[in-house]
Amino acid sequence: MENALIALKKYFGYDSFRPMQSEIIQSVYDGKDTIVLMPTGGGKSICFQIPALTLPGLTVVISPLIALMKDQVEGLVANGVPAAFINSSSDSRTVTKTEDDAVDGLLKILYVSPEKMVTQSFQTFLKRLKISLFAIDEAHCISAWGHDFRPEYTQLKILKMQYPNVPMMALTATADKLTRKDMLTQLSMQNPAVFISSFDRPNITLTVKPGQKRYEQIYDFLRKHPNQSGIIYCLSRRSCEELSNKLNEKGFKTEYYHAELPPPRRSKVQEDFINDRVPVICATIAFGMGIDKSNVRFVIHYNLPRNVEGYYQEIGRAGRDGLPSEALLFFSYADVMTYRDMINDSEGDIVQKELKIAKLNRMYEFAEAPVCRRKTVLAYFDEAYDQNCGNCDVCKNPPRYFEGTLAAQKALSAIKRTNEKIGMNMLVNILRGSRNREILDNKYDQIKTYGIGKEYSFDDWLYFIMQMLHTGLIEIAYDDNHRLRVTPVGEDVLFTGKKVQLAMPITPVNKEEKKKAAIAEVKPVGKVQGLRDELFERLRVLRRDIAQQSGIPPYQVFSDATLSEMCEKRPLADTDLLMVSGVGEKKLQQFGAAFIAEIRRFVLEKEDDGVKVSGSTFLMTYALYKKGVTLEQIAVQRNISPTTVLGHLCNMYERGEDLDLSPWISPEELDIIKGSLSLFEEPYIMKDIFEHFYQKYTFEKIRWAIADARRRP
Ligand code: ADP
Ligand code: ZN
């Protein structure tokens, strides 16, 4: 495990493993077959990449999608890991070269598509290698139950027969119970070690809102999240296009994506998204599979997803880097009706349809129930979560209930008086006394309940009716134009006065409250945060430029999490930068100088503007010294003591700056003093060293020798 930790730091720049990663890696070291169930962003890749790097031989990774493979290999190469892929997009020369490299031991990780894996030629090639591990990524593709079934995956069983002694690892983020179970059977591993981590994604804020005025709500959201990457999922091809066009007209940069676009166009949109050229994509669910972009900051569902599995998979594309991210879902009953009709009209047997409808209902219940979202969703996946999360709309804004019996009675009575012939919208129109054509034609304006509910808005009424539906006061005749019917429980409310509690509408009702909420939302940005944001923006631009030059996506240069930590710590030298999580040796070497230079520029500019930034004082002194100003002059100019000036220079030297030490200390003296340091302990007490040499060397010389000893080789 010690080697595993060293490799983690060296290649990936991380200091420690996440929960379960080390146990999983140990399991491979023990030669066991291993199954890894972890949510997206949980850190699955490290689980096979670290064994690959630390075990003798080659790790073969089976991965279903070309885009995914390319992305992973690019990321690994950027970290200095010898990795390559072979799939249908590779030409024969590349394949030969890759195979030769593998045989020559120049590769540690080889990604391959399942189709390629099972070919005779590839199997022959494999025989020439020492294989450390087979990793099957997206292993749920083996199940015909899942939505991503890949028939070729089922043939992977032969690996276990041909290589009984090579450990195998299967990984997936699927939370769907049926698929998981089937996957385990299909893989037919011997006594595998199974690791299931929590499927909670605590960094994603879950919000559900009624779907009225979605456009406005989305404008508002995008305005509050400038420059951030996100996906807006829409139900239909048309709504993707419409939404994208509308947003563009409003000045937001978006593109649309759906399965009917020609393939070149689709890849262009995807590339533009990955490379941060277009921040927001309006897409059908065809978009996202095979995208590993770690800095997706939000996922919006313009329509209700068809089931909780889909919802969770889609929002899982946000925040892989672990930074705060948003999942915003709009729902309306109209979506439910549309899907229900689609399911009923579709081909397929009745059992399948019923299953789909049951899942749709669960999705709707999730959106509708005023219970902590995370609790509900995790319960759906059989995971106990017994607190309230504090990071969803319900937790942040718990519903307030009121005595709603009278309101419920008004609605129930209106349904009865129209002989249960009306749907939801008509019911609200009757209650609110609308004079639309249909009402007049049907003489609904003459019934007793007409216009008795004007005190609530249209949206409020919908919200109440939804709750009545949920608590079983009414039901919907799906097979009969979605007419509303009063249930026996509803009759109790209507005729015997059974009490009903209703939740107040989520959106503030009156202007006063709206204003208050708006003010509460605009949090003043503190000075420290302001500086960080400003630097982040500059580093983001730098990252984009570097990415463009190096031909890799920006998040492969450094993740948002790494940039964010840079803004917090403001590393001014290599040694500082290496302490930032996500900076490994290769990236330090490739990109370090550019980032440090930018951070230094930022710090100095701030100083010029009179803003105190920590770390700047060393840099100021150093900059003056580099310009040729003498130490004495620097001390006067900066109003600090000459000793402090010297201390600053030593500090910069320690951090790796190149300085000519000859004005202060000779190489021989340096060697002698450094040679004595092993007799002392950090933090060194200069006086002790001074006395050790019978006061022969000045404090200044001793300070330089210490700096030289601390300096990174
Ligand atoms: P998954 O494959 O499970 O979706 P990834 O392997 O892509 O997740 O990891 C998600 C993110 O977490 C990546 O940016 C990855 O570099 C980061 N990560 C993984 N393990 C660690 C760790 N031990 N410390 C810090 N970050 C990690
Ligand atoms: Zn919650």
Side-chain angles (χ1 to χ4, degrees):
M1 277 322 279
E2 206 176 302
N3 285 339
L5 262 176
I6 293 170
L8 184 72
K9 182 70 190 166
K10 174 174 155 116
Y11 291 103
F12 301 97
Y14 301 138
D15 289 324
S16 57
F17 286 110
R18 288 197 183 146
M20 283 205 193
Q21 284 178 334
S22 39
E23 288 87 339
I24 293 166
I25 292 166
Q26 186 61 55
S27 163
V28 178
Y29 288 163
D30 293 343
K32 284 201 189 141
D33 287 347
T34 308
I35 289 173
V36 178
L37 302 167
M38 253 190 212
T40 313
K44 286 186 289 299
S45 321
I46 293 282
C47 297
F48 58 81
Q49 288 165 352
I50 292 291
L53 281 164
T54 47
L55 290 172
L58 178 81
T59 287
V60 179
V61 185
I62 294 98
S63 173
L65 286 170
I66 293 178
L68 214 61
M69 254 185 246
K70 180 166 166 277
D71 190 82
Q72 289 234 346
V73 169
E74 271 173 4
L76 286 168
V77 171
N79 278 324
V81 177
F85 62 79
I86 296 183
N87 58 39
S88 59
S89 77
S90 328
D91 57 59
S92 62
R93 266 196 28 219
T94 318
V95 174
T96 313
K97 163 106 177 48
T98 306
E99 291 187 349
D100 288 349
D101 285 354
V103 174
D104 294 344
L106 298 176
L107 284 182
K108 289 307 287 178
I109 308 186
L110 178 62
Y111 282 73
V112 59
S113 60
E115 294 86 351
K116 186 78 193 174
M117 182 77 200
V118 295
T119 57
Q120 195 54 53
S121 61
F122 195 80
Q123 287 295 320
T124 318
F125 154 70
L126 276 190
K127 290 269 180 278
R128 298 163 60 199
L129 303 172
K130 164 149 185 52
I131 296 169
S132 50
L133 170 71
F134 286 112
I136 304 180
D137 206 4
E138 313 288 346
H140 60 278
C141 292
I142 202 170
S143 167
W145 269 101
H147 25 70
D148 304 325
F149 178 50
R150 292 282 294 263
E152 313 82 33
Y153 258 66
T154 53
Q155 293 180 48
L156 295 177
K157 279 179 221 166
I158 56 166
L159 289 178
K160 204 62 232 176
M161 289 180 240
Q162 285 173 352
Y163 300 88
N165 297 322
V166 176
M168 185 180 261
M169 180 185 286
L171 308 101
T172 176
T174 202
D176 182 343
K177 278 168 273 175
L178 279 177
T179 312
R180 274 186 185 178
K181 206 167 146 230
D182 190 37
M183 181 188 92
L184 293 188
T185 327
Q186 296 286 332
L187 281 168
S188 60
M189 289 180 172
Q190 299 297 315
N191 257 332
V194 182
F195 294 90
I196 305 180
S197 79
S198 165
F199 268 63
D200 185 17
R201 302 283 310 280
N203 61 317
I204 304 181
T205 306
L206 307 175
T207 308
V208 180
K209 287 188 167 180
Q212 287 89 28
K213 306 206 179 72
R214 293 172 217 213
Y215 281 128
E216 286 77 1
Q217 298 199 56
I218 290 176
Y219 296 151
D220 206 42
F221 182 93
L222 294 183
R223 224 172 280 127
K224 287 181 189 142
H225 296 80
N227 293 325
Q228 296 192 350
S229 246
I231 308 172
I232 307 179
Y233 284 112
C234 306
L235 171 60
S236 68
R237 178 178 62 83
R238 226 187 63 211
S239 52
C240 294
E241 294 185 10
E242 275 175 15
L243 179 62
S244 172
N245 291 339
K246 276 196 187 177
L247 291 174
N248 283 332
E249 275 165 28
K250 287 269 173 183
F252 302 108
K253 199 167 169 194
T254 75
E255 271 288 356
Y256 56 84
Y257 181 105
H258 51 70
E260 280 161 65
L261 292 179
R265 173 79 189 276
R266 283 212 304 265
S267 2
K268 173 152 193 321
V269 174
Q270 186 163 322
E271 287 291 307
D272 283 349
F273 180 62
I274 288 173
N275 289 296
D276 288 347
R277 289 190 287 265
V278 177
V280 179
I281 309 294
C282 305
T284 58
I285 52 173
F287 185 72
M289 168 88 175
I291 293 184
D292 249 353
K293 183 175 162 70
S294 70
N295 61 335
V296 176
R297 294 267 69 89
F298 61 84
V299 168
I300 298 178
H301 280 93
Y302 187 81
N303 301 96
L304 190 78
R306 285 157 221 244
N307 50 52
V308 182
E309 286 90 347
Y311 168 71
Y312 209 58
Q313 189 181 32
E314 283 138 32
I315 66 164
R317 294 179 180 136
R320 280 172 190 251
D321 50 17
L323 291 187
S325 309
E326 302 267 348
L328 172 59
L329 161 71
F330 292 107
F331 78 105
S332 73
Y333 200 71
D335 292 340
V336 179
M337 295 199 282
T338 313
Y339 284 133
R340 207 181 270 276
D341 291 345
M342 274 165 61
I343 295 169
N344 281 327
D345 295 347
S346 66
E347 310 274 304
D349 65 280
I350 186 90
V351 182
Q352 280 283 334
K353 284 185 185 177
E354 274 172 7
L355 184 68
K356 281 185 182 165
I357 288 184
K359 287 193 167 193
L360 176 63
N361 287 343
R362 288 294 296 273
M363 184 65 222
Y364 180 66
E365 278 163 29
F366 162 79
E368 237 276 329
V371 180
C372 170
R373 308 287 178 196
R374 208 169 301 276
K375 203 186 241 176
T376 319
V377 96
L378 290 175
Y380 182 87
F381 296 124
D382 269 354
E383 190 177 324
Y385 187 87
D386 34 11
Q387 73 268 38
N388 285 328
C389 76
N391 193 20
C392 75
D393 59 314
V394 180
C395 287
K396 287 180 178 175
N397 216 341
R400 291 171 296 163
Y401 290 90
F402 70 105
E403 160 56 57
T405 314
L406 186 63
Q409 283 172 337
K410 287 180 180 177
L412 292 167
S413 166
I415 299 171
K416 279 282 186 199
R417 285 174 194 275
T418 55
N419 294 325
E420 305 189 323
K421 275 194 194 138
I422 54 171
M424 215 173 292
N425 286 348
M426 177 62 89
L427 171 61
V428 177
N429 283 330
I430 293 174
L431 289 166
R432 293 188 25 86
S434 151
R435 302 203 55 80
N436 80 25
R437 184 70 185 277
E438 224 183 318
I439 290 197
L440 302 180
D441 285 354
N442 286 297
K443 299 207 168 41
Y444 290 149
D445 56 332
Q446 288 168 25
I447 63 177
K448 217 178 147 196
T449 35
Y450 177 76
I452 60 166
K454 287 184 181 156
E455 69 273 38
Y456 298 114
S457 71
F458 193 94
D459 296 347
D460 294 349
W461 268 118
L462 280 185
Y463 188 58
F464 299 150
I465 294 167
M466 228 53 101
Q467 295 176 52
M468 291 167 64
L469 186 66
H470 250 62
T471 44
L473 306 188
I474 51 177
E475 60 190 12
I476 293 183
Y478 296 110
D479 47 356
D480 188 7
N481 288 320
H482 300 275
R483 290 175 184 189
L484 299 173
R485 285 194 207 120
V486 177
T487 63
V489 187
E491 294 192 340
D492 280 352
V493 173
L494 190 54
F495 301 122
T496 65
K498 183 179 149 69
K499 295 268 177 274
V500 178
Q501 293 284 308
L502 290 176
M504 307 255 258
I506 304 167
T507 36
V509 242
N510 59 36
K511 275 200 182 135
E512 243 350 90
E513 278 198 36
K514 266 189 192 160
K515 226 191 232 165
K516 259 196 234 155
I519 294 169
E521 251 182 42
V522 187
K523 287 184 227 109
V525 180
K527 190 187 133 216
V528 175
Q529 191 57 43
L531 276 180
R532 282 187 199 171
D533 291 352
E534 204 182 325
L535 181 56
F536 189 92
E537 193 44 34
R538 285 174 60 159
L539 298 186
R540 198 180 67 81
V541 172
L542 173 68
R543 175 178 69 175
R544 197 191 52 204
D545 295 345
I546 290 182
Q548 204 161 13
Q549 286 158 22
S550 350
I552 54 174
Y555 66 89
Q556 300 275 33
V557 174
F558 286 125
S559 72
D560 275 17
T562 301
L563 283 202
S564 178
E565 200 177 318
M566 284 185 200
C567 296
E568 185 192 326
K569 296 190 173 152
R570 285 191 291 271
L572 298 174
D574 284 8
T575 26
D576 310 340
L577 190 57
L578 260 187
M579 310 281 268
V580 172
S581 175
V583 184
E585 285 177 9
K586 176 82 191 244
K587 284 190 179 167
L588 175 75
Q589 193 191 336
Q590 271 191 302
F591 312 126
F595 280 84
I596 288 171
E598 185 65 27
I599 295 171
R600 284 185 175 192
R601 259 197 301 278
F602 177 81
V603 168
L604 288 176
E605 277 170 32
K606 285 291 143 197
E607 193 73 24
D608 280 348
D609 295 346
V611 183
K612 280 267 161 284
V613 186
S614 66
S616 62
T617 187
F618 305 110
L619 207 52
M620 296 281 289
T621 300
Y622 182 69
L624 289 170
Y625 178 76
K626 277 276 155 180
K627 270 193 216 154
V629 185
T630 66
L631 265 55
E632 292 72 25
Q633 281 169 328
I634 297 175
V636 173
Q637 205 172 323
R638 298 210 57 215
N639 198 17
I640 49 181
S641 76
T643 318
T644 309
V645 173
L646 190 83
H648 288 173
L649 291 185
C650 286
N651 191 296
M652 292 304 286
Y653 180 71
E654 255 176 51
R655 293 174 179 214
E657 285 313 310
D658 280 327
L659 278 180
D660 172 18
L661 303 194
S662 60
W664 297 289
I665 187 168
S666 73
E668 295 76 30
E669 289 169 324
L670 193 65
D671 274 350
I672 295 171
I673 306 177
K674 259 170 60 179
S676 76
L677 288 180
S678 60
L679 302 171
F680 304 92
E681 267 176 27
E682 282 270 23
Y684 299 117
I685 298 164
M686 288 212 272
K687 188 148 180 302
D688 293 351
I689 304 169
F690 185 63
E691 296 302 340
H692 173 77
F693 288 109
Y694 303 103
Q695 309 187 356
K696 183 169 174 206
Y697 302 112
T698 60
F699 275 57
E700 190 180 285
K701 288 184 199 293
I702 296 171
R703 180 72 186 86
W704 278 115
I706 292 175
D708 195 65
R710 284 184 186 155
R711 200 171 141 89
R712 224 171 71 95

